[in-house]
């Protein structure tokens, strides 16, 4: 499949609190990895989106407005949104995303903070399931792919990058040039794309998680994160 347009649909900036990717670094890393677009999905905030757009200048890079909300039962990503969300109720979060014309993504469903044991009512509100998250284990991603197929819900991929070297490691490939966000949404809904990339190597995942944990909880968090990853706990 010839790829003409490549997008990473799950990236975090420094505004997530546990990422070291500055707006300037994100633009550079995205272009270096050959991406045509990137979705900024910071934890519970959209503050980083405009900051990244300010650094674009003449760069040929599509920025998709997104957010990753930590609900009371797990994480939910909203793509193509125009307002920040503050609810922790998963049903309300999904409804608010759809009201804005956005898409509801279920990220890393078989990892910590993934939405598991979904009710049929909540499952009906999910537009796409993340089947390749570069920060997850191969086993977790395989389970997500099976879940996507059995639920008849379209797949999607994203790096879940928190460091520059992770950007673009998991992505979606389209075989046509994209000229609008509506085109992207339409292609995602109809499945006219392919999943690309692979899991980040374990030693780099340990490094990335250690950096994130250190930013959040200092040295103690770094040690705990490294230990969990070494023991194979997502």
């Amino acid at each position: 499949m010839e790829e003409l347009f490549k997008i990473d649909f799950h990236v975090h900036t420094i505004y997530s609190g546990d990422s070291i990717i500055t707006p300037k670094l994100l633009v550079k890393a995205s272009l270096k990895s050959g991406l045509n677009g990137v979705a900024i999905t910071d934890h519970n905030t959209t503050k980083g989106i405009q900051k990244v757009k300010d650094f674009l200048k003449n760069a040929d890079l599509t920025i998709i407005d997104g957010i990753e909300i930590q609900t009371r039962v797990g994480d939910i990503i909203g793509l193509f949104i125009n307002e920040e969300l503050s609810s922790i109720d998963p049903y309300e979060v999904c409804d608010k995303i759809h009201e804005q014309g956005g898409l509801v993504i279920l990220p890393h469903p078989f990892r910590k903070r993934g939405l598991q044991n979904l009710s049929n009512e909540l499952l009906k509100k999910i537009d796409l399931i993340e089947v390749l998250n570069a920060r997850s284990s191969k086993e977790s991603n395989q389970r997500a792919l099976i879940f996507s197929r059995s639920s008849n819900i379209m797949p999607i991929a994203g790096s879940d990058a928190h460091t520059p070297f992770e950007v673009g490691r998991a992505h979606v490939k389209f075989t046509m040039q994209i000229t609008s966000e509506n085109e992207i949404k339409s292609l995602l809904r109809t499945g006219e794309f392919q999943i690309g990339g692979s899991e980040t190597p374990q030693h780099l995942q340990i490094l990335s998680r250690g950096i994130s944990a250190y930013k959040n909880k200092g040295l103690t968090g770094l040690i705990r994160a490294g230990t969990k990853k070494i023991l194979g706990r997502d």
Side-chain angles (χ1 to χ4, degrees), residues 33-231:
S33 64
L35 291 174
N36 304 101
V38 61
I40 300 171
T41 55
D42 284 326
H43 298 301
N44 306 308
T45 183
T46 58
K47 291 179 181 178
I49 295 172
Q50 188 56 51
K51 299 292 185 181
V52 173
K53 291 179 179 179
D54 290 342
F55 274 98
L56 278 180
K57 298 180 180 178
N58 297 321
D60 188 14
L61 185 68
T62 297
I63 302 299
I64 296 170
D65 296 10
I67 192 169
E68 185 169 20
I69 296 292
Q70 295 172 319
T71 75
R72 63 169 179 259
V73 296
D75 291 346
I76 291 175
I77 286 178
L79 296 180
F80 308 102
I81 62 169
N82 48 53
E83 293 180 10
E84 199 160 280
L85 305 169
S86 58
S87 176
I88 62 171
D89 178 83
Y91 296 91
E92 185 176 356
V93 168
C94 291
D95 289 341
K96 292 293 184 182
I97 292 170
H98 285 147
E99 286 172 10
Q100 296 182 43
L103 296 177
V104 175
I105 314 301
L106 178 61
H108 46 70
F110 295 99
R111 205 175 78 194
K112 184 180 179 182
R113 291 212 310 265
L115 279 176
Q116 300 178 39
N117 301 317
L118 297 177
S119 67
N120 288 332
E121 182 182 357
L122 186 55
L123 192 60
K124 290 177 182 178
K125 296 179 182 291
I126 305 298
D127 297 304
L128 300 110
I129 294 176
E130 190 178 60
V131 302
L132 177 56
N133 177 298
R135 254 186 160 208
S136 294
S137 67
K138 190 176 292 291
E139 179 186 5
S140 293
N141 284 329
Q142 185 61 34
R143 291 177 67 190
L145 178 60
I146 294 171
F147 181 43
S148 168
R149 289 172 175 170
S150 64
S151 303
N152 198 30
I153 297 176
M154 287 295 176
I156 196 169
S159 65
D160 198 2
H162 287 66
T163 59
F165 57 77
E166 295 172 290
V167 175
R169 285 187 176 270
H171 51 266
V172 170
K173 300 183 289 186
F174 301 93
T175 57
M176 60 186 71
Q177 289 295 336
I178 306 295
T179 59
S180 71
E181 287 193 348
N182 284 334
E183 279 187 86
I184 299 173
K185 284 194 280 187
S186 177
L187 292 170
L188 287 175
R189 287 191 176 106
T190 57
E192 296 178 68
F193 59 84
Q194 279 193 353
I195 301 298
S198 61
E199 292 82 9
T200 300
Q202 187 177 41
H203 67 285
L204 293 180
Q205 285 199 37
I206 292 172
L207 175 61
S208 174
R209 290 181 183 277
I211 291 171
S212 295
Y214 184 75
K215 284 203 69 179
N216 267 338
K217 299 180 180 178
L219 184 59
T220 300
L222 187 155
I223 294 171
R224 286 177 178 171
T227 302
K228 286 181 179 179
K229 195 61 191 175
I230 291 171
L231 294 176

